[in-house]
């Protein structure tokens, strides 16, 4: 996943083709660290996403504006004030850095023509979007970086913008062969590492590609290269940089099976054993490659608070359960005290006053037993003392048996919600999980008054088609599982679930037919994949007709009871199952 200087060079060239002289019509800020510019040019509208997310910084032309807040954030309002209606006059990349600079011409409040710079830094956790005057004075940024956060550079209104050169890297576009030998190959490193640590914008992936094209092992030491190998390596490097400078880009994604392995704006010969898919633009590869990754990353960030609630409650329940089990074990002495009381009543008539023990025959075991006594009490009082202990421990045992079962069910419920959070794919899924937590009392429902509309839950189960044409449905959380099993499925449909662990309910609609073996296996694979043990080699799956599945007495959504089921061990692999 090399969103490096070469990919950005291809993107900048593409943006120049599409956006130069375009007018900025609309500006949105769908996320705290991302903005979307709608640009009209050549009778077309382009939506440009600029994201400074620390986990997934991106820039590309998209078709989606995202969900926008009701009130625009301050940075968005500032951009609207200054550059709404502005004209993009240049898009540049300084010195192969992971930076895109937009030069925007606009009219100020006095009607005079002015220029501003919008600078997008795509540098991992240091990513930012900075708005500047032409002289480099920062007007504002999407992230404020004070001095106590970074001693290298402050990013605050009024400060001067500059690109910190913390690693003393060279611009690969202007590097001579002498510089290549002196500033790259003279370092006591492996060849690949010497290239990407010495040159701006070159990732480890591109360094490996350069070595591969030169038939040189990227892991070998620079000191082991001969002069001929060094000259050949520079020639390969120079030709690649020439392709970049002359805009000979070839956007491509490489697939290993059905999974995307890598992308680039130039061909990567080192992935010759992977399937290659060509694209028309860098935006297309970024949009395609990161669509699923971006969604899952965002969903995981948005689910953080829910995960914290579930994790805290689960830890509390586990501690409570361990304490209850210990107390339950302590009540195991109750029967002994009952026997003590009975034996004292039976044999205590012959005891002398002040006796400290009673030795007698235990008629339950036919063994002799010695019972401790309180010498200050009569035999009847000692007997009553033991019966009182027995009664107290019996009541404690009965109460703890109920409480321990309730705590165990609570842990199972929370564990199932934790699995649902791992399976969540959309914000609608998270809304359903939050609703379940509210219903269970773990989260308070925030009411905004009588006129507040209840949030509509729009998440739906996953839908697959078996190789034999049967419809298979997968619940992604307990509310969906409940709906699928007890409202959607018919008695003759088949129900699948991972054995003894949290997971999705899978329903196969039979339409009255007898299911083929292949459909049984595919439904079991779905149940295995959408379970807590989805990363295991094999998962045991129970399956049974829906009419034999009953709702659990606990009343928790998605919890069921069933008997006389079938089982199978299956791999959690759904790569060949068609999803609708």
């Amino acid at each position: 996943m090399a969103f490096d200087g070469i990919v950005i060079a291809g993107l900048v060239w593409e943006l120049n083709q599409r956006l130069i002289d375009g007018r900025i019509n609309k500006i949105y800020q769908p996320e705290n660290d991302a903005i979307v510019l709608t640009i009209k040019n050549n009778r077309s509208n382009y939506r440009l996403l600029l994201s400074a997310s620390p986990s997934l910084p991106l820039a590309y032309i998209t078709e989606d504006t995202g969900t926008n807040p009701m009130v625009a954030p301050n940075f968005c309002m500032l951009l609207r004030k200054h550059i709404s209606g502005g004209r993009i006059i240049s898009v540049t990349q300084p010195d192969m850095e992971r930076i895109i600079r937009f030069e925007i011409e606009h009219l100020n409040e006095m009607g005079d023509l002015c220029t501003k710079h919008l600078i997008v830094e795509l540098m991992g956790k240091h990513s930012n979007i900075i708005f500047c005057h032409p002289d480099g004075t920062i007007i504002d940024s999407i992230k404020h970086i004070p001095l106590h956060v970074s001693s290298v550079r402050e990013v605050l209104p009024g400060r001067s913008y500059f690109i910190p050169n913390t690693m003393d890297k060279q611009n690969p576009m202007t590097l001579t062969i002498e510089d290549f030998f002196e500033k790259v190959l003279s370092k006591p490193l492996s060849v690949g590492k010497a290239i990407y640590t010495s040159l701006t914008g070159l990732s480890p992936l591109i360094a490996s590609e350069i070595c591969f094209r030169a038939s040189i092992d990227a892991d070998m030491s620079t000191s082991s290269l001969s002069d001929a190998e060094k000259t050949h390596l520079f020639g390969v490097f120079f030709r690649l940089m020439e392709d970049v400078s002359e805009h000979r880009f070839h956007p491509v994604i490489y697939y290993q099976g059905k999974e995307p392995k890598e992308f680039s704006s130039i061909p990567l010969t080192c992935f010759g054993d992977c399937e290659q898919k060509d694209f028309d633009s860098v935006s297309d590869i970024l949009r395609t490659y990161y669509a699923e990754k971006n969604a899952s990353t965002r969903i995981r960030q948005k689910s953080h608070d829910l995960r914290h609630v579930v994790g805290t409650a689960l830890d509390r329940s586990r501690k409570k359960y361990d304490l209850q089990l210990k107390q339950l074990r302590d009540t195991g002495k109750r029967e002994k005290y009952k026997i003590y009381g009975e034996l004292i009543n039976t044999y205590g008539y012959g005891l002398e006053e002040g006796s400290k023990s009673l030795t007698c025959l235990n008629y339950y075991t036919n063994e002799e037993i010695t019972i401790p006594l309180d010498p200050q009490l009569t035999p009847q009082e000692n007997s009553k003392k033991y019966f009182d202990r027995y009664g107290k421990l019996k009541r404690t045992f009965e109460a703890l048996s109920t409480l321990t079962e309730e705590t165990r069910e609570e842990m199972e419920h929370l564990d199932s919600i934790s699995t649902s959070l791992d399976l969540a794919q959309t914000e609608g899924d998270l809304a359903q999980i939050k609703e379940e937590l509210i219903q269970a009392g773990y989260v308070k429902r925030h009411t905004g008054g009588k006129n507040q509309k209840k949030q509509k839950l729009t998440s739906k189960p996953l839908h697959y088609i078996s190789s034999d044409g049967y419809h298979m449905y997968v619940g992604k959380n307990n509310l969906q599982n409940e709906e699928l099993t007890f409202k959607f499925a018919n008695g003759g449909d088949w129900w699948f679930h991972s054995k003894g662990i949290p997971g999705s309910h899978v329903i196969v609609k039979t339409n009255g037919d007898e299911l083929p073996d292949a459909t049984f296996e595919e439904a079991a694979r779905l149940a295995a994949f959408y379970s807590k043990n989805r990363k295991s080699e094999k998962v045991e799956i129970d399956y049974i007709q829906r009419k034999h599945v009953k709702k659990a007495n606990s009343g928790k959504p998605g919890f069921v009871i069933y008997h006389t089921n079938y089982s199978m061990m299956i791999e959690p692999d759904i790569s060949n199952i068609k999803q609708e």
Side-chain angles (χ1 to χ4, degrees):
M1 297 178 288
F3 194 44
D4 55 21
I6 291 181
V7 172
I8 290 175
L11 179 63
V12 166
W13 180 77
E14 175 187 317
L15 296 180
N16 271 285
Q17 307 306 304
R18 298 189 185 188
L19 303 184
I20 294 302
D21 288 330
R23 294 282 180 181
I24 299 175
N25 269 358
K26 296 177 182 178
I27 304 172
Y28 304 102
Q29 190 171 340
E31 303 285 348
N32 290 334
D33 50 17
I35 61 171
V36 175
L37 306 180
T38 301
I39 301 159
K40 187 173 183 179
N41 194 28
N42 297 325
R43 298 182 180 179
S44 297
N45 284 322
Y46 300 99
R47 292 188 180 93
L48 179 63
L49 169 67
L50 306 173
S51 172
S53 166
S55 59
L56 201 59
L58 286 172
Y60 59 83
I61 294 173
T62 181
E63 297 174 357
D64 182 22
T65 58
T67 303
N68 297 299
M70 296 295 293
V71 179
N74 291 338
F75 186 69
C76 179
M77 294 295 291
L78 178 74
L79 293 182
R80 288 177 181 177
K81 174 185 175 182
H82 285 277
I83 60 174
S84 186
R87 184 172 67 93
I88 297 177
I89 57 178
S90 74
V91 184
T92 56
Q93 176 192 22
D95 297 337
M96 284 294 289
E97 293 277 3
R98 289 175 293 166
I99 296 173
I100 304 175
R101 178 184 280 124
F102 296 88
E103 189 174 358
I104 303 167
E105 195 175 68
H106 68 101
L107 297 176
N108 64 13
E109 295 173 348
M110 304 298 294
D112 297 328
L113 198 62
C114 298
T115 302
K116 296 290 190 299
H117 291 171
L118 186 64
I119 302 167
V120 186
E121 297 184 335
L122 304 164
M123 301 177 176
K125 66 180 181 179
H126 302 296
S127 300
N128 210 338
I129 302 174
I130 305 169
F131 189 48
C132 296
H133 289 292
D135 63 359
T137 303
I138 297 173
I139 302 172
D140 205 353
S141 60
I142 206 164
K143 298 178 188 175
H144 287 181
I145 311 297
L147 192 60
H148 70 269
V149 174
S150 172
S151 59
V152 176
R153 180 186 65 164
E154 283 186 298
V155 181
L156 293 171
R159 300 292 192 270
S160 294
Y161 174 80
F162 64 93
I163 303 171
N165 186 14
T166 57
M167 300 185 70
D168 193 29
K169 289 188 175 184
Q170 308 297 312
N171 181 358
M173 304 302 291
T174 60
L175 203 69
T176 64
I177 188 170
E178 292 79 13
D179 291 334
F180 189 74
F181 285 6
E182 178 185 346
K183 297 180 179 179
V184 178
L185 299 183
S186 63
K187 293 185 175 181
L189 300 170
S190 66
V191 179
K193 190 171 184 179
I195 291 173
Y196 72 76
T197 57
S198 304
L199 304 176
T200 302
L202 298 195
S203 62
L205 174 65
I206 294 299
S208 296
E209 172 66 15
I210 292 170
C211 293
F212 187 84
R213 292 187 185 186
S215 300
I216 291 173
D217 186 353
D219 294 325
M220 67 187 296
S221 172
T222 54
S223 61
S224 63
L225 292 178
S226 66
D227 289 342
E229 287 175 322
K230 291 179 180 179
T231 302
H232 178 55
L233 183 65
F234 176 78
V236 171
F237 160 78
F238 182 80
R239 285 190 292 275
L240 190 146
M241 290 300 106
E242 196 173 46
D243 287 342
V244 173
S245 64
E246 296 183 7
H247 314 306
R248 291 194 288 265
F249 297 108
H250 188 148
V252 61
I253 295 179
Y254 293 92
Y255 289 84
Q256 196 164 47
K258 290 196 173 183
E259 294 294 321
K261 183 177 179 66
E262 194 54 83
F263 69 86
S264 180
S265 58
I266 59 172
L268 300 175
T269 58
C270 59
F271 287 107
D273 58 340
C274 294
E275 183 182 345
Q276 175 179 327
K277 185 176 180 181
D278 300 325
F279 289 81
D280 293 331
S281 71
V282 176
S283 286
D284 287 344
I285 64 169
L286 294 174
R287 185 166 57 247
T288 302
Y289 188 90
Y290 282 114
E292 184 175 341
K293 182 178 177 64
N294 188 33
S296 62
T297 301
R298 290 294 185 188
I299 289 299
R300 190 152 192 96
Q301 289 173 346
K302 288 179 180 296
S303 68
H304 177 267
D305 290 343
L306 297 181
R307 289 180 185 277
H308 179 71
V309 169
V310 173
T312 302
L314 197 52
D315 287 343
R316 190 185 302 119
S317 294
R318 284 170 178 158
K319 291 177 182 177
K320 182 169 66 173
Y321 187 66
D322 290 341
L323 180 60
Q324 288 172 342
L325 287 179
K326 180 179 181 301
Q327 293 173 332
L328 198 59
R329 286 193 295 269
D330 291 340
T331 64
K333 303 174 183 177
R334 65 190 182 282
E335 292 298 326
K336 178 181 72 172
Y337 295 140
K338 179 184 177 183
I339 293 171
Y340 281 2
E342 291 179 354
L343 293 177
I344 292 172
N345 281 342
T346 302
Y347 301 110
Y349 60 85
L351 280 173
E352 296 181 2
E353 186 177 348
S355 296
K356 294 183 179 181
S357 64
L358 168 64
T359 300
C360 60
L361 177 69
N362 182 354
Y363 43 70
Y364 287 103
T365 63
N366 287 324
E367 296 176 351
E368 192 174 82
I369 186 173
T370 299
I371 302 171
L373 299 175
D374 186 339
Q376 296 181 353
L377 302 178
T378 66
Q380 291 77 14
E381 289 171 338
N382 271 292
S383 175
K384 182 179 183 301
K385 177 182 175 183
Y386 279 121
F387 277 125
D388 287 345
R389 282 190 191 177
Y390 164 73
K392 182 179 180 181
L393 288 176
K394 181 183 178 183
R395 291 190 297 274
T396 302
F397 171 77
E398 292 170 349
L400 278 173
S401 296
T402 302
L403 289 173
T404 304
E405 181 62 21
E406 290 175 353
T407 305
R408 185 188 64 77
E409 290 177 354
E410 182 183 26
M411 289 165 55
E412 289 180 352
H413 185 212
L414 289 166
D415 203 16
S416 71
I417 296 175
S418 179
T419 301
S420 297
L421 286 168
D422 292 335
L423 300 178
Q425 298 178 357
T426 66
E427 293 188 30
D429 295 340
L430 295 181
Q432 280 193 330
I433 295 170
K434 184 176 181 180
E435 177 61 27
E436 182 180 355
L437 289 169
I438 290 172
Q439 292 177 8
Y442 297 108
V443 175
K444 291 183 179 179
R445 192 186 300 278
H446 295 289
T447 56
K450 296 181 180 179
N451 297 326
Q452 186 188 33
K453 293 182 179 179
K454 187 177 179 180
Q455 185 178 7
K456 187 177 180 181
L457 303 180
T458 57
S459 177
K460 295 180 180 180
L462 298 170
H463 182 196
Y464 289 85
I465 304 291
S466 76
S467 57
D468 299 301
Y470 289 92
H471 293 266
M472 303 181 291
Y473 298 87
V474 182
K476 290 179 285 183
N477 54 63
N478 288 329
L479 293 181
Q480 285 186 13
N481 289 338
E482 182 89 2
E483 180 82 14
L484 266 182
T485 301
F486 296 110
K487 294 184 180 179
F488 177 75
N490 297 322
D493 296 335
W494 281 86
W495 180 90
F496 295 74
H497 192 274
S498 50
K499 186 179 186 68
I501 57 172
S504 298
H505 293 198
V506 176
I507 294 292
V508 182
K509 300 296 289 182
T510 64
N511 303 318
D513 301 339
E514 185 175 338
L515 292 181
D517 290 345
T519 296
F520 275 106
E521 290 185 5
E522 289 165 5
R525 290 183 188 279
L526 288 172
F529 184 80
Y530 292 104
S531 74
K532 184 178 181 179
N533 288 359
R534 64 192 302 180
K535 294 183 179 179
S536 302
E537 289 186 6
K538 287 193 175 182
V539 181
E540 186 173 3
I541 303 299
D542 287 345
Y543 58 103
I544 192 172
Q545 280 190 300
R546 157 61 190 89
K547 61 187 176 185
H548 300 300
V549 179
K550 310 298 180 186
K551 186 169 174 58
N553 295 329
S554 65
K556 294 182 175 63
F559 280 68
V560 301
I561 299 171
Y562 56 93
H563 306 284
T564 64
N565 58 281
Y566 304 94
S567 294
M568 73 168 81
M569 296 294 294
I570 199 82
E571 294 179 5
D573 178 14
I574 63 170
S575 57
N576 295 320
I577 304 177
K578 179 183 177 184
Q579 183 174 6
E580 287 292 292

